[in-house]
Amino acid sequence: DAKTTQPNSMESNEEEPVHLPCNHSTISGTDYIHWYRQLPSQGPEYVIHGLTSNVNNRMASLAIAEDRKSSTLILHRATLRDAAVYYCILRESNNAGNMLTFGGGTRLMVKP
Amino acid sequence: GAVVSQHPSWVICKSGTSVKIECRSLDFQATTMFWYRQFPKQSLMLMATSNEGSKATYEQGVEKDKFLINHASLTLSTLTVTSAHPEDSSFYICSASPGVSNQPQHFGDGTRLSIL
């Protein structure tokens, strides 16, 4: 599976936007970019995914670079409940097994 | 609401006990489910892929005789940790998706297993 690189941790102030970067320079043309987050003592939660175009949903926005070698998860207004580990994962579109390979993720800390 | 239910949420038991963890997909049928293990301050590690009606596929280094997986129906997979020892203490998490490529994975809330 193609690998992703994320900062180990980031800090944000409550009510401010947060930009979580992810590098995936070895991404293939059929890889989708998925983001999940894990709150303390819980299973991961799906956030968003995309292929080439930027994506928006009620939780976040995903900005994908034109060459697809990097992406950014955007939380428009961080809340204390957004404090979690955020995982950027590449997933093959033809992966019949649909498995996810988790890297280290970014631990987001939100300050009141 | 939760689309994947995992039970129990936590277990404390003595060394040598076998522990069964259930994972149910509530809103869809899942031919494939996944079992992960997570140690403190570490990421999730895939243990095995559970296939409905056939044998599970285990990742390298995971003992199939110790971690028994049964996927007898399209909505239920079970993981049994046999003869558990303190080193098996961990956070076990299951996931499932409707089976169509690129649909999100839905995760259970995890089972915290503590072996005394």
Side-chain angles (χ1 to χ4, degrees):
Chain A
D1 290 337
K3 195 173 177 180
T4 63
T5 305
Q6 299 176 254
N8 290 334
S9 64
M10 290 184 66
E11 272 192 7
S12 171
N13 294 317
E14 197 177 13
E15 303 293 318
E16 290 185 357
V18 182
H19 290 228
L20 297 166
C22 181
N23 287 320
H24 28 78
S25 59
T26 59
I27 190 171
S28 74
T30 55
D31 285 338
Y32 279 72
I33 302 159
H34 285 246
W35 284 81
Y36 288 77
R37 72 179 185 181
Q38 186 179 23
L39 279 66
S41 299
Q42 294 187 26
E45 172 188 30
Y46 167 77
V47 178
I48 201 167
H49 78 283
L51 182 63
T52 56
S53 303
N54 294 344
V55 184
N56 300 295
N57 66 21
R58 65 175 179 81
M59 289 182 71
S61 295
L62 176 60
I64 302 173
E66 196 168 336
D67 63 5
R68 299 211 325 125
K69 293 185 177 182
S70 65
S71 61
T72 302
L73 179 70
I74 303 166
L75 306 179
H76 295 286
R77 286 180 64 195
T79 69
L80 297 179
R81 289 182 296 178
D82 290 323
V85 179
Y86 287 78
Y87 296 98
C88 169
I89 302 170
L90 300 183
R91 193 172 176 200
E92 297 173 32
S93 65
N94 60 351
N95 184 346
N98 289 329
M99 59 179 280
L100 296 175
T101 301
F102 286 81
T106 296
R107 182 174 298 278
L108 176 65
M109 292 167 279
V110 181
K111 296 183 290 184
Chain B
V3 295
V4 172
S5 173
Q6 192 171 337
H7 179 82
S9 299
W10 56 270
V11 180
I12 303 174
C13 58
K14 294 180 180 179
S15 185
T17 307
S18 291
V19 178
K20 180 186 282 189
I21 303 170
E22 292 187 349
C23 181
R24 294 180 185 275
S25 59
L26 302 180
D27 297 336
F28 57 90
Q29 294 183 331
T31 55
T32 303
M33 292 185 177
F34 301 95
W35 288 96
Y36 295 84
R37 179 168 53 182
Q38 185 175 33
F39 292 107
K41 299 192 186 301
Q42 294 186 23
S43 188
L44 283 77
M45 294 297 294
L46 180 68
M47 297 176 66
T49 302
S50 173
N51 304 299
E52 188 267 336
S54 64
K55 291 183 179 180
T57 304
Y58 291 83
E59 295 300 300
Q60 190 172 8
V62 178
E63 300 176 56
K64 62 179 181 180
D65 294 330
K66 180 159 187 66
F67 298 99
L68 300 180
I69 292 173
N70 184 280
H71 194 154
S73 78
L74 287 170
T75 59
L76 174 64
S77 175
T78 61
L79 169 68
T80 302
V81 184
T82 61
S83 187
H85 292 284
E87 58 265 29
D88 299 321
S89 298
S90 188
F91 192 49
Y92 292 86
I93 307 167
C94 71
S95 74
S97 75
V100 177
S101 202
N102 290 305
Q103 286 299 306
Q105 285 279 334
H106 300 282
F107 288 82
D109 281 337
T111 298
R112 188 160 302 282
L113 177 62
S114 296
I115 308 298
L116 305 177

